[in-house]
Amino acid sequence: MAVETISLTHTYAVGTAFEFTAIKGVTFKTLAHEFIGIIGHTGSGKSTLIQHLNKLLTPTSGSVIVNGFDLSDKKMPMKEIVKRVGIVFQYPEYQLFEETVYKDIAFGPTNLGFSKSETDFLVREAMDFVSLDFEKLKDESPFDLSGGQKRRVAIAGVLAMKPQILVLDEPASGLDPVGREGILRSIRRMNKEIGISIFLVSHNMDDVAEYCDRVMVFSKGELLLFESPNEVFAHADLLESIGLEVPQAKKVLLMLKERGFSVDASFYTCDEAVAEIARCLRQAKPC
Amino acid sequence: MKTMIRLEAASFSYDEADSSKTALDDINLEFCEGEFIGIAGHNGSGKSTLAKLLNGLLLPTKGDVTVLGMNTKNENEIKEIRRNVGMVFQNPDNQMIATIVEEDVAFGPENLGKPPYEIRDTVDESLALVGMAEYKDKRPSQLSGGQKQRIAIAGVLAMKPKCIIFDESTAMLDPQGRKELLDTMHRLNAEEGVTIIHITHYMEELITASRIIALNEGKVAFDKTPRDAFSDLSALSPLNLAAPEVVQIADGLKIAGFPIEGTALSCEELVEAIWQLKQSL
């Protein structure tokens, strides 16, 4: 599903001493099935933006259009919006509340009016997508699970509502490298296999480089860049000046280039960097 | 070097009747004053349990933990132990209690019953140490994540601890916030001699540690210098740990037939090593 914003601006506490404009004049257009990364320092407006995508916040000015529907249209029922756009907040495991994993994941679809058998199917499907064993875990208390498993249950709870757009705020933070990769791979599968559009908010540039089709860069409430990872990381100086960084592989290539090495510094993943450096060394080697 | 904290055959179980609930199993470790220790391990490996044993938030179900010679099981000394070993958690919002920065930092020394003029000095000094002096009148809600974490550190510093434990304190921060926090940790370690114990999933944050202790299934998997720890990547993967990207690139080059000399830990070192290799071809 495509998402579009036109001059989206949000100001908190209008008319008080605490008035603060969190995002200013943000305009972008995403395509259906895209995997979008959102990066920016703390307080850059990322969270404010994503809360507009399912109308948890309404614009102070400007508009948000999801799949051709303007969210500010009063005729559009909230249920329809929630069905389309699922948001997984930071540390979603804090939102788990039910007695069993099954009940927790079933909460969303039940509230959306899905029948018992439909809900059962959705819970199974969602658990399968986040690699949780249905038979083994359905009757467990979500609070007895490990951190990574709790996180998966929470994501499954949103996935079970069958959103066409899934927004995730730092879904991998606090997880070890293996847990991190597991979650991100699940998200990639949802994107590739069922075509859910993904918005991934992340502080981890390596993850953004690895998984996203296009990346939005926010600073001080403004959308500075919206390009492919390759193009975004070419702006190394700009990223560093707004408190972000480039992937280490990219940094190494840039430093080598600066020292007069004839490397192509447009690569940014580890494997690409190895191949590129090896290529240059091979050229340097007298045959 | 003087011993800061010692664990002797320390075990901890969340349920002694159930062996699957054993979080730490027979740990023997010694942390010395002035060290910068990195602790790594996958989720559920026992890192946070270990952190809580170090200042008596949890007591070992078997064995002993002593801080500057004081046993954490000794109720008369627990206050002194906690004053000496401060802790900074993952989410700074859980650690802020006052509505103004300087009041938050003053909370600790106020509870120690210090006279007001002394508290004033301690608060100013602590805020200066973390580079947040100019924010003393601000509300915590006006600060960024990295700034909040530094206020949390100032609150701990106001207790004049000899050791600070950072339990995944960088996990929620953006790259800039992480850098600020790491710089602060290193400065406290180098200039004030504070012993630092840094628990993290980000291995690149540990390349400057004096040693890295990796936990796995509640046991110490290794206790090595960063250079030794990253010289053998095959030892890391069974522990679910990932080497810093720089180390992975060097490893990839070795596999591709370009033996990079030594174990480069930073981008600068790797670039230098590649340069040297090129000269020798």
Side-chain angles (χ1 to χ4, degrees):
Chain A
M1 237 181 216
V3 176
E4 191 180 347
T5 65
I6 302 164
S7 313
L8 176 63
T9 297
H10 191 93
T11 307
Y12 290 101
V14 178
T16 74
F18 301 108
E19 184 169 314
F20 174 67
T21 299
I23 46 174
K24 299 176 247 215
V26 173
T27 301
F28 64 78
K29 212 173 193 170
T30 71
L31 309 172
H33 317 307
E34 258 192 309
F35 196 134
I36 306 284
I38 305 179
I39 60 177
H41 57 84
T42 317
S44 60
K46 307 186 296 282
S47 302
T48 302
L49 172 73
I50 62 172
Q51 290 179 70
H52 281 84
L53 300 182
N54 73 348
K55 217 180 168 180
L56 284 173
L57 288 176
T58 49
T60 307
S61 66
S63 48
V64 181
I65 297 154
V66 174
N67 202 25
F69 292 100
D70 191 329
L71 294 195
S72 56
D73 185 347
K74 295 219 167 48
K75 277 178 269 168
M76 179 125 166
M78 194 64 199
K79 216 182 226 179
E80 286 306 308
I81 300 171
V82 176
K83 256 194 213 171
R84 276 159 220 237
V85 187
I87 300 192
V88 178
F89 288 100
Q90 227 175 7
Y91 295 86
E93 57 273 27
Y94 293 153
Q95 297 170 29
L96 298 173
F97 69 102
E98 272 287 9
E99 288 167 350
T100 69
V101 167
Y102 185 94
K103 283 187 187 170
D104 209 291
I105 299 172
F107 182 78
T110 306
N111 273 312
L112 288 178
F114 284 101
S115 72
K116 222 167 166 233
S117 60
E118 282 170 326
T119 300
D120 193 68
F121 175 79
L122 289 169
V123 173
R124 282 171 190 271
E125 189 188 46
M127 285 182 74
D128 178 53
F129 250 102
V130 295
S131 310
L132 289 172
D133 189 329
F134 179 82
E135 293 303 333
K136 215 169 127 195
L137 295 172
K138 67 177 165 57
D139 298 322
E140 291 281 318
S141 160
F143 302 102
D144 286 342
L145 305 179
S146 76
Q149 284 175 320
K150 279 187 201 164
R151 182 84 48 101
R152 283 159 196 278
V153 172
I155 294 176
V158 175
L159 200 58
M161 293 192 279
K162 281 278 174 190
Q164 282 149 304
I165 297 170
L166 188 61
V167 184
L168 304 111
D169 192 356
E170 288 268 6
S173 93
L175 298 183
D176 60 44
V178 173
R180 168 170 217 104
E181 213 179 293
I183 292 268
L184 291 168
R185 286 208 175 145
S186 294
I187 297 168
R188 170 142 71 190
R189 269 185 65 207
M190 296 169 202
N191 176 247
K192 295 275 178 282
E193 291 175 23
I194 32 180
I196 300 182
S197 307
I198 305 287
F199 288 81
L200 173 77
V201 177
S202 179
H203 284 323
N204 190 312
M205 301 305 135
D206 300 331
D207 292 347
V208 169
E210 172 98 30
Y211 293 92
C212 300
D213 299 323
R214 282 198 292 165
V215 182
M216 296 182 184
V217 181
F218 278 87
S219 179
K220 295 181 180 155
E222 289 180 66
L223 179 58
L224 294 189
L225 300 170
F226 184 25
E227 294 168 301
S228 70
N230 189 0
E231 288 161 316
V232 164
F233 293 128
H235 299 274
D237 293 341
L238 172 76
L239 293 179
E240 269 167 29
S241 75
I242 58 169
L244 298 175
E245 54 189 7
V246 294
Q248 277 196 321
K250 176 90 182 181
K251 211 166 162 183
V252 169
L253 288 174
L254 287 170
M255 286 169 74
L256 281 170
K257 197 172 178 186
E258 216 167 278
R259 283 200 65 169
F261 231 74
S262 57
V263 286
D264 175 353
S266 70
F267 299 105
Y268 49 85
T269 67
C270 226
D271 294 345
E272 286 172 348
V274 168
E276 178 58 16
I277 297 168
R279 186 189 63 80
C280 282
L281 288 172
R282 245 172 242 129
Q283 272 181 358
K285 198 187 250 178
C287 296
Chain B
M1 265 192 296
K2 211 172 144 194
T3 304
M4 181 73 224
I5 301 174
R6 174 176 280 141
L7 292 98
E8 281 166 294
S11 296
F12 184 84
S13 172
Y14 285 94
D15 179 0
E16 277 186 275
D18 181 357
S19 65
S20 72
K21 296 278 189 326
T22 302
L24 289 173
D25 186 11
D26 193 24
I27 304 282
N28 291 286
L29 282 172
E30 190 177 352
F31 302 139
C32 294
E33 273 189 31
E35 273 194 296
F36 191 117
I37 294 149
I39 297 184
H42 61 84
N43 291 109
S45 61
K47 303 187 301 293
S48 291
T49 307
L50 177 66
K52 290 185 183 120
L53 284 184
L54 299 182
N55 71 348
L57 283 176
L58 292 176
L59 297 177
T61 38
K62 278 189 216 128
D64 289 291
V65 177
T66 50
V67 174
L68 296 166
M70 299 174 280
N71 195 311
T72 55
K73 284 178 185 159
N74 187 341
E75 277 179 38
N76 298 327
E77 290 178 321
I78 195 72
K79 265 195 171 169
E80 190 58 14
I81 288 173
R82 297 217 179 114
R83 200 186 60 69
N84 275 296
V85 182
M87 203 147 170
V88 177
F89 294 97
Q90 189 175 93
N91 187 344
D93 290 329
N94 295 346
Q95 210 161 350
M96 299 271 162
I97 39 122
T99 50
I100 298 292
V101 163
E102 61 178 357
E103 286 174 11
D104 196 86
V105 179
F107 181 78
E110 274 172 359
N111 275 304
L112 293 180
K114 299 273 187 217
Y117 61 89
E118 210 176 289
I119 295 177
R120 176 79 266 163
D121 289 350
T122 307
V123 169
D124 289 345
E125 202 183 315
S126 306
L127 282 170
L129 276 173
V130 296
M132 291 294 288
E134 57 187 302
Y135 293 87
K136 67 177 181 185
D137 305 325
K138 293 267 190 269
R139 298 154 168 273
S141 60
Q142 293 170 311
L143 306 178
S144 74
Q147 289 172 330
K148 280 189 212 168
Q149 276 301 36
R150 285 191 280 155
I151 299 302
I153 299 174
V156 172
L157 280 176
M159 305 290 280
K160 310 250 163 139
K162 290 206 168 69
C163 173
I164 304 180
I165 303 164
F166 294 85
D167 190 3
E168 294 195 43
S169 311
T170 54
M172 292 182 76
L173 303 180
D174 61 20
Q176 177 67 28
R178 277 171 64 190
K179 196 175 163 299
E180 285 169 14
L181 184 58
L182 277 174
D183 287 349
T184 306
M185 284 157 69
H186 277 288
R187 200 155 37 74
L188 290 174
N189 180 249
E191 293 170 19
E192 308 294 319
V194 179
T195 308
I196 303 286
I197 299 174
H198 179 30
I199 300 175
T200 182
H201 286 314
Y202 296 102
M203 297 301 264
E204 62 271 25
E205 292 178 1
L206 300 182
I207 57 172
T208 44
S210 20
R211 58 190 165 118
I212 299 175
I213 295 167
L215 294 180
N216 189 36
E217 314 290 335
K219 289 180 184 292
V220 175
F222 66 70
D223 179 353
K224 296 178 182 167
T225 64
R227 221 168 279 280
D228 286 343
F230 296 133
S231 65
D232 180 14
L233 296 192
S234 62
L236 292 175
S237 46
L239 307 176
N240 284 359
L241 297 174
E245 261 198 3
V246 167
V247 177
Q248 291 181 31
I249 294 173
D251 195 57
L253 286 171
K254 275 176 205 163
I255 294 168
F258 296 100
I260 301 288
E261 199 66 38
T263 305
L265 295 179
S266 65
C267 292
E268 288 76 12
E269 283 180 8
L270 179 62
V271 168
E272 186 57 39
I274 294 172
W275 190 255
Q276 295 296 337
L277 181 69
K278 189 186 174 213
Q279 303 303 318
S280 69
L281 287 175

